[in-house]
Amino acid sequence: MSDAAQPTAAEVRAAAEAVKAALDRHLAAVENRTGEDDPAVYAAFNSLASAAEAYDERLYDRYDEVTPFEIPGADDSLPPYAGPEEPNALSVLIRRDYAVVEPQRLLAQAQRIADLDPEDDRPENAPVVGTSVHAALGVLFGEYEPDEIASRHKEFGLEEGDSTLWVSATDEIPEPGEWLSTPFDQADPQRIVCRFDVSSVFDEDELSEDLDDLDEEAES
């Protein structure tokens, strides 16, 4: 990150103060909860998670340091596990969302890939992608593994959205080709052994609201 884009020391301090304030609100909500699913506790939890994540990011960007905090994923939203106690087989389901934010970069990268391995009947440097984002995506995902695309997405004009990975227990490995026509239809939440989510659900808007509240409290 360039110096111009780094948060200031004051912004890091403000983010730390937002975490402190969010901790107080969360504790107060827990102490005064009206039931197991009290919406006030849920809201305070999300506010605390948002503030902690924002502080962690600013601390790293400014000082190259991290916190010991880990923001819980969506595992708590899963139903009770009902699969085999000792699974003999498993399926790994992965979803990653991307926005095509720089189509021209995507097209250029796809054309470069195609030019490295031209077809015998295609004149040298003849376009195979043209202006088709559809064709460019086919070339890109045909050349690279999904993990490499995830690590290099900016090179290809893509912007990351949410992603999730489910490890699901199965009784046995299906026959070859059995599920390929409908690969995601058999996902059973009650057989999820573990789940890992990356999301922008804890966004900057929530942090801004927390900082505004903190400023108002300081002025009063």
Side-chain angles (χ1 to χ4, degrees):
M1 176 177 290
S2 67
D3 292 339
Q6 285 184 348
T8 65
E11 288 173 332
V12 178
R13 173 63 61 180
E17 294 298 329
V19 174
K20 297 175 188 177
L23 276 169
D24 289 338
R25 289 195 295 269
H26 182 262
L27 178 57
V30 170
E31 290 174 335
N32 295 285
R33 65 183 178 185
T34 58
E36 185 174 347
D37 297 321
D38 190 338
V41 174
Y42 180 78
F45 171 88
N46 283 340
S47 179
L48 176 56
S50 174
E53 183 171 323
Y55 170 62
D56 191 85
E57 290 178 357
R58 283 162 173 72
L59 187 72
Y60 180 79
D61 289 344
R62 179 68 185 182
Y63 300 111
D64 200 25
E65 293 288 345
V66 297
T67 70
F69 307 139
E70 182 176 354
I71 306 302
D75 289 22
D76 292 342
S77 66
L78 293 174
Y81 177 70
E85 184 174 346
E86 297 185 6
N88 295 317
L90 59 88
S91 293
V92 179
L93 308 178
I94 301 175
R95 171 174 172 170
R96 295 187 177 109
D97 287 355
Y98 297 96
V100 180
V101 293
E102 296 183 77
Q104 294 306 314
R105 178 184 290 271
L106 172 63
L107 294 169
Q109 289 282 21
Q111 185 63 54
R112 180 186 62 80
I113 293 168
D115 288 341
L116 292 175
D117 187 23
E119 298 177 3
D120 293 339
D121 58 351
R122 181 169 65 89
E124 186 176 358
N125 295 327
V128 297
V129 176
T131 60
S132 171
V133 170
H134 180 278
L137 290 171
V139 171
L140 179 65
F141 282 87
E143 176 71 15
Y144 297 112
E145 292 291 331
D147 286 345
E148 184 168 3
I149 292 175
S151 66
R152 300 173 57 188
H153 62 277
K154 291 183 179 179
E155 290 182 41
F156 307 125
L158 304 177
E159 182 178 275
E160 286 183 310
D162 289 353
S163 65
T164 187
L165 181 151
W166 292 16
V167 179
S168 176
T170 60
D171 296 320
E172 59 184 16
I173 295 295
E175 292 294 327
E178 182 178 330
W179 51 259
L180 293 180
S181 61
T182 55
F184 302 111
D185 285 359
Q186 303 301 318
D188 183 352
Q190 290 189 305
R191 284 179 166 255
I192 301 303
V193 176
C194 54
R195 172 177 174 174
F196 304 94
D197 298 289
V198 177
S199 177
S200 58
V201 66
F202 305 125
D203 57 25
E204 296 296 325
D205 292 339
E206 294 183 9
L207 174 67
S208 297
E209 292 176 2
D210 292 340
L211 294 178
D212 290 341
D213 291 342
L214 187 65
D215 291 340
E216 291 176 2
E217 291 173 5
E219 292 174 358
S220 60

